[in-house]
Amino acid sequence: DPQGGHGSLLVTNYQMVFCYGGRRGVCVPHLTVVKVAKRDRATDKNSSDWDVGGERGSGANPLTHKMGMVNMERRDTTPMTIIIFAASTLIDVSNDEFYPNPTRQCSKLFEVLMSYTFPRSLTKVFAFSYKQSFPPDQDGWRAYLADDEFGRQGVDTSSSWRVSHVNHEYTACDSYPRKVAVPTGIRDWEIKKALEFRANGRFPVLVWKSANSE
């Protein structure tokens, strides 16, 4: 919001969500951020940015008394600033830690955002944290069963999609599975004809759908 607002910030390993004023949360995926920087009152005491309406000293309103800032820039060049006030609190749910000190809050928030925005290892990226687990004795070749997956997505009961065997021997596209879901209105002979002008034989297929949609 260009006008800004007081609210709460939720940070996960995928995105940050800012909620305020009863409005729908503003979601910002970490990988859309290209720059993160911080400033805090303890090390930048002379800046005029810290005080609102001339409030200084112990008489300052803790709800408007700025103690730290985390500035970010997104890939679309949109700037964002998270302001930490004297009354702010920070809770690290994953480690069950509470940070009452605003200066420490600023450092912790900056540290967390940097680790998610610019991960040192790809294993720290969201996709590696949220993956299906398999038993040690699971046959990897049977981890994905096309019929089960199509059933889960509702393809077998959909009037808009059908299962095609055009790639049964991997002759249409060697990087596609044997069974694929395609629109009901497209026949296999039409797919074979289209392969003549498709790069590497890759033709449009269903990748994902909600079980509740057509």
Side-chain angles (χ1 to χ4, degrees), residues 94-172:
S94 60
N95 295 312
D96 195 25
E97 293 184 88
F98 175 70
Y99 295 83
N101 182 282
T103 300
R104 183 69 185 100
Q105 292 174 31
C106 186
S107 297
K108 181 63 178 180
L109 179 59
F110 174 76
E111 174 189 318
V112 169
L113 291 178
M114 285 293 289
S115 69
Y116 291 148
T117 304
F118 308 106
R120 295 184 178 182
S121 170
L122 280 179
T123 58
K124 301 297 183 182
V125 176
F126 168 80
F128 288 89
S129 298
Y130 291 83
K131 59 184 179 181
Q132 187 173 357
S133 298
F134 298 98
D137 58 348
Q138 170 75 52
D139 180 0
W141 290 105
R142 297 185 61 80
Y144 171 83
L145 297 175
D147 291 335
D148 291 350
E149 183 63 12
F150 291 147
R152 185 185 69 83
Q153 296 184 65
V155 173
D156 54 347
T157 59
S158 171
S159 60
S160 300
W161 300 92
R162 69 177 181 85
V163 177
S164 170
H165 299 269
V166 70
N167 198 43
H168 180 66
E169 298 297 334
Y170 300 104
T171 54

